[in-house]
Amino acid sequence: FMDTVTVTSNVLKIGIQESAEMIANTLGQRDDLTVMLAGLPADLRGSVDDAVAAFGGQNNQFAESIAQYVAAGGMQGFVQTEQGAALQGSAFGQEFLPLLQRIGDQILSGGDLGQILANSEGEIGRLTGLLQDSGFRAQALQGQDQMLNQLAAALIRMQDTIGDANAPNMADTTRT
């Protein structure tokens, strides 16, 4: 739990106590996540809970994609989900899928979440850089695909902090 609290604190740049409270209050209230992960072994459920918690636990399409990928057991099952099909059907989604596959497969094989996320900094930067391309920007500005806009926004928000995911606690936890 404390490793997840530290990763969450580092990625979201919040204090340890705030991070712990957010995780505790969020994950227990996620009926959809509970059902989605019910058939997984306990260690995988914990890894997915940690991944979702690391990004605030709610309405983060990056975390939701990871959770669904792991719950589906990999890419073959994920692309059969509504979210997987939507990602396959868009140019930005197709660019995102290799990152999702690398992260998801590493989680499925028991990799360390903080290290996996910290190692994703370059790929996340590349994906957010795609939004400078006129075609990708036009797609985002149309606002027709809310899920893809939420995914792009999640990547933009975390691009500057994801490299700290595996660091010792970086947040200033003192309050004056």
Side-chain angles (χ1 to χ4, degrees), residues 150-165:
Q150 290 172 354
L151 174 61
L155 292 170
I156 290 166
R157 287 183 188 110
M158 71 177 148
Q159 73 180 348
D160 293 332
T161 59
I162 196 74
D164 294 334

Side-chain angles (χ1 to χ4, degrees), residues 112-135:
D112 176 71
L113 178 65
Q115 189 64 47
I116 293 167
L117 296 177
N119 290 341
S120 301
E121 183 176 18
E123 291 171 88
I124 290 170
R126 183 188 69 78
L127 288 169
T128 58
L130 289 174
L131 297 173
Q132 295 174 7
D133 175 88
S134 61

Side-chain angles (χ1 to χ4, degrees), residues 74-143:
M75 186 61 77
Q76 185 175 356
F78 177 72
V79 296
Q80 295 176 26
T81 67
E82 185 176 339
Q83 186 159 359
L87 288 170
Q88 273 193 314
S90 78
F92 189 79
Q94 288 176 11
E95 294 287 336
F96 171 70
L97 284 173
L99 171 63
L100 175 63
Q101 183 171 19
R102 184 184 63 74
I103 291 172
D105 287 350
Q106 288 180 3
I107 290 172
L108 284 167
S109 66
D112 176 71
L113 178 65
Q115 189 64 47
I116 293 167
L117 296 177
N119 290 341
S120 301
E121 183 176 18
E123 291 171 88
I124 290 170
R126 183 188 69 78
L127 288 169
T128 58
L130 289 174
L131 297 173
Q132 295 174 7
D133 175 88
S134 61
F136 286 106
R137 279 198 6 239
Q139 181 183 9
L141 291 173
Q142 289 175 3

Side-chain angles (χ1 to χ4, degrees), residues 59 61-62 145-155 157:
N59 301 319
Q61 287 300 325
F62 182 72
D145 192 333
Q146 201 64 12
M147 188 266 300
L148 286 173
N149 283 350
Q150 290 172 354
L151 174 61
L155 292 170
R157 287 183 188 110

